[in-house]
Amino acid sequence: DGGITQSPKYLFRKEGQNVTLSCEQNLNHDAMYWYRQDPGQGLRLIYYSQIVNDFQKGDIAEGYSVSREKKESFPLTVTSAQKNPTAFYLCASSIGEGVSYNEQFFGPGTRLTVL
Amino acid sequence: GQSLEQPSEVTAVEGAIVQINCTYQTSGFYGLSWYQQHDGGAPTFLSYNALDGLEETGRFSSFLSRSDSYGYLLLQELQMKDSASYFCAVLTTDSWGKLQFGAGTQVVVTP
């Protein structure tokens, strides 16, 4: 079955530690995205990538880093510089051309809690 | 900058019709999308409008008026499983390749 996987579902970390969230897709999509969602809030874009080895900052990139070395994978690192990292993190992908950018497919999300 | 406005919450009874409005202020507007998210789950794509008019997909329909910078999602024959958050999102040529999401509307369906 094609889809997007994120692991782990729940993650706990101590303050000051970097943590990397995994996102893998087997949909053969070119574009991938990372969003942050806080309780009762909408989706805020952290980083996105339209093609391998290229990515752009979204609206709230500070304190986060990404890489896109393979088409299937787009890991997100939450660094210790992120002031308030506790949140629900969602990874998404889209085919990556024309009107298809309107339709994004989301993974199940990772709920990060920093203690 | 870009902004999207939608109501924070709507409550309705089973079998009723609900309309969720979305007004946007953007430059380079290309299309308006709608997503559904159940509590604790992942958003799923519902519909997309690039041209004026109504798009129907089963019990859900989406409408767009580009001249009014306005769209809505219509949920008909409401069911309990429709209780969820609904987000509008815009795609613009100014920010090609990424969506700007609204804050979401929580729909509560009561028996």
Side-chain angles (χ1 to χ4, degrees):
Chain A
D1 286 336
I4 302 179
T5 56
Q6 292 184 243
S7 61
K9 191 169 177 64
Y10 297 94
L11 188 56
F12 297 88
R13 278 293 182 269
K14 291 184 179 178
E15 196 172 339
Q17 290 182 332
N18 291 357
V19 60
T20 297
L21 309 185
S22 165
C23 177
E24 303 280 329
Q25 55 100 358
N26 60 4
L27 299 168
N28 199 33
H29 286 175
D30 283 318
M32 296 187 74
Y33 309 83
W34 273 106
Y35 295 93
R36 169 182 173 139
Q37 187 173 36
D38 293 285
Q41 303 295 311
L43 305 174
R44 292 187 291 168
L45 183 65
I46 305 172
Y47 268 96
Y48 67 109
S49 167
Q50 293 176 288
I51 198 167
V52 175
N53 291 322
D54 187 48
F55 49 83
Q56 289 80 41
K57 292 181 179 179
D59 301 318
I60 56 164
E62 187 175 347
Y64 300 97
S65 66
V66 293
S67 63
R68 186 84 188 278
E69 297 175 1
K70 298 187 299 181
K71 189 175 187 177
E72 303 80 18
S73 179
F74 192 41
L76 172 75
T77 297
V78 184
T79 75
S80 56
Q82 168 51 231
K83 296 284 190 282
N84 185 19
T86 294
F88 188 43
Y89 290 87
L90 287 156
C91 179
S93 71
S94 71
I95 291 174
E97 58 181 26
V99 69
S100 72
Y101 279 118
N102 286 282
E103 183 174 2
Q104 294 186 6
F105 297 78
F106 285 81
T110 292
R111 199 166 295 276
L112 173 65
T113 301
V114 175
L115 307 170
Chain B
Q2 301 178 34
S3 71
L4 292 94
E5 288 191 19
Q6 51 181 130
S8 59
E9 185 173 320
V10 173
T11 300
V13 297
E14 264 186 302
I17 298 174
V18 158
Q19 178 173 314
I20 304 169
N21 299 322
C22 176
T23 57
Y24 57 87
Q25 285 188 317
T26 66
S27 58
F29 176 84
Y30 188 88
L32 182 72
S33 304
W34 290 93
Y35 286 77
Q36 178 194 60
Q37 184 183 29
H38 286 99
D39 198 30
T44 56
F45 174 80
L46 292 176
S47 68
Y48 159 71
N49 296 70
L51 303 175
D52 287 356
L54 191 68
E55 295 280 344
E56 297 181 69
T57 310
R59 294 186 298 112
F60 295 179
S61 304
S62 58
F63 172 83
L64 176 66
S65 169
R66 294 174 67 109
S67 60
D68 295 321
S69 297
Y70 161 78
Y72 66 72
L73 180 69
L74 195 70
L75 314 181
Q76 300 179 79
E77 300 172 22
L78 272 180
Q79 301 177 10
M80 296 298 291
K81 67 179 181 180
D82 298 330
S83 290
S85 291
Y86 293 83
F87 298 90
C88 59
V90 293
L91 178 67
T92 70
T93 55
D94 288 3
S95 300
W96 188 245
K98 61 179 186 176
L99 293 175
Q100 181 78 30
F101 283 84
T105 298
Q106 181 155 12
V107 171
V108 178
V109 181
T110 60

